[in-house]
Amino acid sequence: MLELTKGKKAAMDRLSTPDGLIGALAIDQRGALKKMITALGAEVTAEHIENFKAFVSEELTPYASSILLDPEYGLPAAKVRAKDAGLLLAYEKTGYDASTPGRLPDLLEDWSALRIKDAGADAVKFLLYYDIDEDARINHLKHVFVERLGSECVAEDIPFYLELVSYDANIVDAASLDYAKVKPHKVNDMMKEFSKPQYKVDVLKVEVPVNMNYVEGFAKGETVYSKEEARTYFKEQSEATHLPFIFLSAGVSAQLFQETLIFAKDSGSTFNGVLCGRATWRNGVAPFIEKGEAAAREWLKTEGKHNIESLNAVIKQCASSWHDKVQVRD
């Protein structure tokens, strides 16, 4: 059971539905969004990034419990979000230094938990790349880093959402069959580690524990897991933490993400919602770049809205309330 102060509980409520489900929209992407725009043959500008985020926020937050943005390009979008939508702000620099072993984390230099809270955020989000089997020295540095973040959020009485993305230092392609074989161990043991009290995490944002493209019945080619094995991994994931946890979409299609949530529920997962990004809005980038604001808004009002409303229906059907996982400290 997670203990929350009254201040953190109130902030968590602002980020969730009244029933304690998290249906959050993520558009804190920076490097990934730039790559999407560049792939369309356009020269990326800060104005492109800011405007697209603002359009997404304005058009889709009426259907989301909250939105995750970045302070670098997302503050204009935060100002135009729906009045009932909560706000999370990302604290990490985008990407990592591929030339240095360990994918070590780094913070935005001119931000702090205090400044994030003063900017109107209801929670601090931080992304950590983590390989449970990596050199102990590297992982020690990451443990200490997250401890600092948790303590900083406690000092400001603001919820700490930790986003965990697994990897293997010896496997280059995280979408490969080789990585699919080790992913359940990587994800579930990573969750166990960061559920420890010294990190002071309030919500874990995590991957599903398998690559669904290698699950029997979902795979188009070779399989790694039977359906029963995959169900076991989802159940083990729930049992790996006492904290509220939500799923990230990891860039898969909206349809596959929704099918995955249904599979998770059927497997006994007690996940508490989603923080979903590209699965909702990625196909709106092309109309924005190629045809302009009107086309982007039209896509968001139609396909984008459909994506998020259909996802909301699945969340309502499949997610569990985080209210059952917390108690408020007097």
Side-chain angles (χ1 to χ4, degrees), residues 60-126:
L60 297 185
T61 53
Y63 316 105
S65 69
S66 46
I67 186 169
L68 167 62
L69 291 159
D70 59 282
E72 294 174 284
Y73 300 100
L75 295 182
K79 292 176 181 175
V80 297
R81 74 186 191 277
K83 63 181 180 64
D84 293 331
L87 175 64
L88 304 99
L89 284 179
Y91 197 2
E92 77 277 354
K93 287 184 178 178
T94 188
Y96 56 87
D97 183 356
S99 65
T100 303
R103 304 190 189 186
L104 294 174
D106 205 358
L107 296 174
L108 294 172
E109 293 170 352
D110 52 350
W111 286 86
S112 64
L114 171 62
R115 290 173 182 265
I116 285 173
K117 187 175 182 179
D118 285 348
D122 300 298
V124 170
K125 190 278 296 187
F126 187 81

Side-chain angles (χ1 to χ4, degrees), residues 182-194:
V182 299
K183 185 176 181 181
H185 153 65
K186 299 287 187 181
V187 171
N188 293 349
D189 286 353
M190 173 175 66
M191 285 181 66
K192 286 179 185 175
E193 174 61 39
F194 289 100

Side-chain angles (χ1 to χ4, degrees), residues 2 4-17 20-22 65-66 122-123 158-161 202-203 244 322-323 326:
L2 171 67
L4 292 175
T5 63
K6 290 179 181 177
K8 282 195 176 189
K9 169 64 163 55
M12 291 270 289
D13 285 337
R14 293 193 294 272
L15 295 162
S16 311
T17 69
L21 305 179
I22 300 169
S65 69
S66 46
D122 300 298
I158 188 170
F160 178 25
Y161 278 52
D202 297 301
V203 177
W322 59 259
H323 293 166
V326 307

